[in-house]
């Protein structure tokens, strides 16, 4: 049993006191940003990236991963208690979760969400352990042409499955790719788009873009909307769901886990899509769909399991192919490159302790999160009462300190300020930042593989469609674009995302 | 011709401008051939693609069937305060040191909130400065200029 050996190695790494501590720290931070509306995992991870310089690679990645899946737990707490999604993936949790709280079952709702998330997290972690090695085998057969096509598929998938206008999102990707061109070209040594500024020759750090576009711009949008705090459900009540609630929730948890795991693997997938899909599915299969939106346990447990499963399995494309499927995974790529680890199929063989340690820590982290979110719920409720006027200067402080410590250079602070202004403009024009960030991270990788593929084929562009693997990846990308562009599906897609607003 | 989808139109116009800008910039570098690409090749074509797609976005926004959208008003006061206080922090960090510039950043940015109060923001500034000292300087050992240079304490 190779798998067991691998997992044993993983747990031996994850169970060192240091790594347990960092997993715990990541989970606490994740819950914190998950609970607070208006602060998401992307700026948080970007803020903390510089700190991981100081940590050993395993510990750093364990902490960052903890933040990501921690936000899934924290986001649902806010959704249930305040009727406000702490995270985008918790948007559907609001529907039935908050209704349960209003019916006096807040404790049960929190417990169901946590149990569902834990179950889904455990299953998804096992899936990563089981499926990552064979997938990585496939990845070794990839040449530059395949990698290029895979990145195209990943980028297309990211926009197709996301909300908003499709052509605009593709434009944002292209812009991100172009921003990725800034800096010294690895092949020729020519500094591109540097405007004679030495700091720009190293390229634009994506942490800077993430903090400007997601951190600063979000603060400004939030400040504009004049905060109006909604009453918080203080009375949590018993944490034990009753028998009927359990019976109704259990199958939803199973279905949510399966659905979420599948959607998480898709490029561009992840927790948001998974939770929406699961809610729709539960409503479809339910014998009494009229109870949805009025506090049906299945409408809470399904999406909660699905978003956590999706959050976990979205690590699969990153760990096996080195391709980030969403903005958080793009930041994880950055964290790995900081430590000179090139994400991709070779990670498993060259850094087995990192790979399996990370996977094992995910399971430990999920266990910690149940403890953090159920018995300690009182602390998070208190935190929800912190007013925004105290919160946003703190976010600004952490962002600026994080940016400065990237290179110990004030120039980076000014660049972030510029991206803050640009991000504010984009938010007014409804241009999404996530595709831009993905493009920025993938830009240099894509150019490199594009060049290499054409060098190998002596400048013949047909190489991308003549190689069967590459051709099928491109065909899949094209297929995705076409089905989304079809009028009937476009309408459906718009309807699905209307609920989000 | 009337402008129905204002959001998309301006977004498209921006993409066209940026795409052409990048493509023009790329012509300053060697293009090379498809087999032996120079540094200008990939960004040039990316820029062209961006400009073309941006034009499509802008033109669809002009069509009669486009959904009507408006660009929300910019709140220049908030924008100036937030970005201004961050830039101020960047400018003051070297001469004044971390503690003072951090304190100023918190107080200055707090004025952007419609619930601003001196008492709360001063208390918050003291708390955050202490927190940063504890977490970043003591805990993580990040290296910052700490005190004003004229005091010569570093």
């Amino acid at each position: 049993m190779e798998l067991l050996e691998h997992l044993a190695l993983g747990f031996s790494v994850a169970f060192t006191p240091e790594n347990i501590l960092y997993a715990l720290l990541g989970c606490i931070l994740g819950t914190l940003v998950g609970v607070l509306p208006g602060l998401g995992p992307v700026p948080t991870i970007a803020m903390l990236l510089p700190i991981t310089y100081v940590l050993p690679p395993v510990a750093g990645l364990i902490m960052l991963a903890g933040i990501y899946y921690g936000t899934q737990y924290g986001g649902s707490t806010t959704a249930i208690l305040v009727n406000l999604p702490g995270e985008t993936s918790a948007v559907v949790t609001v529907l039935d979760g908050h209704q349960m709280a209003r019916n006096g079952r807040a404790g049960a709702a929190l417990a169901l969400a946590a149990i569902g998330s834990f179950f889904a997290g455990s299953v998804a972690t096992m899936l990563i352990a089981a499926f990552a090695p064979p997938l990585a085998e496939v990845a070794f057969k990839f040449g530059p042409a395949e990698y290029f096509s895979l990145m195209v598929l990943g980028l297309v998938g990211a926009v197709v499955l996301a909300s908003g206008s499709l052509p605009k999102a593709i434009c944002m990707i292209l812009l991100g790719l172009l921003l990725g061109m800034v800096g010294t070209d690895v092949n020729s040594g020519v500094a591109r788009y540097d405007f004679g500024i030495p700091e720009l020759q190293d390229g634009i750090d994506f942490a800077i873009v993430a903090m400007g576009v997601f951190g600063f711009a979000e603060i400004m949008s939030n400040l504009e909307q004049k905060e109006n705090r909604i009453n918080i459900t203080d009375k949590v009540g018993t944490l034990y769901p009753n028998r009927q609630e359990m019976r109704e929730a259990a199958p939803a948890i199973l279905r949510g886990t399966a659905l979420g795991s599948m959607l998480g693997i898709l490029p561009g997938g992840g927790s948001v899509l998974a939770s929406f899909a699961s809610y729709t599915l539960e409503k479809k299969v339910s014998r009494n769909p009229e109870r949805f939106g009025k506090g049906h346990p299945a409408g809470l447990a399904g999406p909660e399991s699905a978003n956590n499963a999706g959050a976990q399995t979205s690590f699969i494309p990153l760990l096996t192919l080195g391709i980030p499927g969403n903005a958080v995974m793009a930041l994880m790529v950055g964290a790995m490159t900081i430590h000179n680890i090139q994400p991709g199929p070779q990670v498993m063989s060259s850094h087995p302790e990192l790979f399996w340690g990370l996977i094992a820590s995910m399971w430990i982290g999920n266990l910690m999160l149940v403890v953090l979110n159920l018995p300690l719920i009182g602390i998070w409720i208190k935190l929800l009462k912190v007013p925004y006027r105290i919160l946003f200067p703190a976010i600004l402080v952490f962002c600026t300190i994080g940016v400065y410590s990237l290179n110990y250079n004030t120039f980076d602070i000014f660049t972030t300020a510029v991206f803050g202004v640009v991000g504010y403009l984009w938010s007014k024009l409804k241009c999404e930042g996530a595709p831009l960030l993905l493009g920025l991270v993938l830009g240099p990788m894509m150019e490199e593989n594009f060049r290499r593929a054409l060098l190998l084929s002596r400048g013949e562009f047909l190489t991308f469609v003549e190689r069967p693997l590459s051709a099928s990846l491109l065909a899949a990308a094209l297929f995705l674009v076409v089905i989304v562009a079809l009028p009937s599906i476009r309408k459906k897609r718009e309807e699905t995302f209307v609920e989000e607003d | 011709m009337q402008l129905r989808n204002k959001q998309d139109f301006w977004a498209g116009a921006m993409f066209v401008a940026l795409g052409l800008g990048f493509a023009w910039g790329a012509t300053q570098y060697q293009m090379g051939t498809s087999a032996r690409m120079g540094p200008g090749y990939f960004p040039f074509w990316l820029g062209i693609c961006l400009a073309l797609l941006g034009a499509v976005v802008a033109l669809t926004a002009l069509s009669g069937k486009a959904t009507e959208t408006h660009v929300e008003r910019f709140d220049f006061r908030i924008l100036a305060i937030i970005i201004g206080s961050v830039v101020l922090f960047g400018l003051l960090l070297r001469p004044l040191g971390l503690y003072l510039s951090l304190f100023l950043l918190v107080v200055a940015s707090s004025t952007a909130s419609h619930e601003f109060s001196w008492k709360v923001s001063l208390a918050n500034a003291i708390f955050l400065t202490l927190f940063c000292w504890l977490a970043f300087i003591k805990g993580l050992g990040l290296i910052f200029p700490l005190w004003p240079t004229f005091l010569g304490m570093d």
Side-chain angles (χ1 to χ4, degrees), chain A residues 163-194:
Chain A
S163 61
S165 148
L166 188 62
K168 261 155 92 186
I170 297 178
C171 283
M172 288 303 270
I173 287 186
L174 290 173
L175 189 55
L177 291 171
L178 278 167
L179 286 175
M181 301 290 115
V182 175
T184 310
D185 170 39
V186 278
N187 293 41
S188 60
V190 174
R192 291 186 286 191
Y193 305 110
D194 65 337

Side-chain angles (χ1 to χ4, degrees), chain A residues 292-315:
Chain A
F292 278 80
K294 295 188 184 116
H296 196 302
L300 164 75
E304 270 306 304
S305 318
N307 73 27
N308 209 41
Q312 306 274 337
T313 53
S314 57
F315 277 90

Side-chain angles (χ1 to χ4, degrees), chain A residues 168 171 192-193 220 226-227 389-390 392 404 408 410 424 426 428 430 447 450-451 454-455 459 461, chain B residues 7-8 14 22 29 34-35 37-39 41-42 50 73 75 79 90 94 109 114-115 124 143-144:
Chain A
K168 261 155 92 186
C171 283
R192 291 186 286 191
Y193 305 110
M220 291 185 266
K226 306 269 160 44
E227 63 200 282
R389 62 174 168 173
I390 292 180
F392 83 85
Y404 178 74
Y408 294 106
T410 46
Y424 183 66
W426 285 339
K428 294 287 177 196
K430 296 275 178 303
E447 187 191 14
F450 185 68
R451 277 185 175 186
L454 284 171
L455 187 67
F461 282 97
Chain B
Q7 274 171 10
D8 279 16
M14 175 189 75
F22 269 104
Y29 313 117
S34 64
M37 265 175 243
Y41 195 97
F42 196 64
L50 178 60
R73 290 173 66 89
D75 195 322
L79 184 71
R94 300 268 176 193
S109 63
H114 69 117
E115 293 181 319
N124 197 16
I143 304 144
F144 282 95

Side-chain angles (χ1 to χ4, degrees), chain A residues 261-319:
Chain A
S261 308
M262 280 189 293
L263 291 174
I265 300 176
L266 288 184
S271 47
V272 182
L273 178 74
S275 58
F276 274 99
S278 166
Y279 192 78
T280 321
L281 178 75
E282 287 312 318
K283 212 169 163 179
K284 279 257 159 65
V285 298
S286 173
R287 249 177 260 129
N288 26 15
E290 72 285 351
R291 277 179 58 214
F292 278 80
K294 295 188 184 116
H296 196 302
L300 164 75
E304 270 306 304
S305 318
N307 73 27
N308 209 41
Q312 306 274 337
T313 53
S314 57
F315 277 90
I316 292 182
L318 174 75
L319 291 173

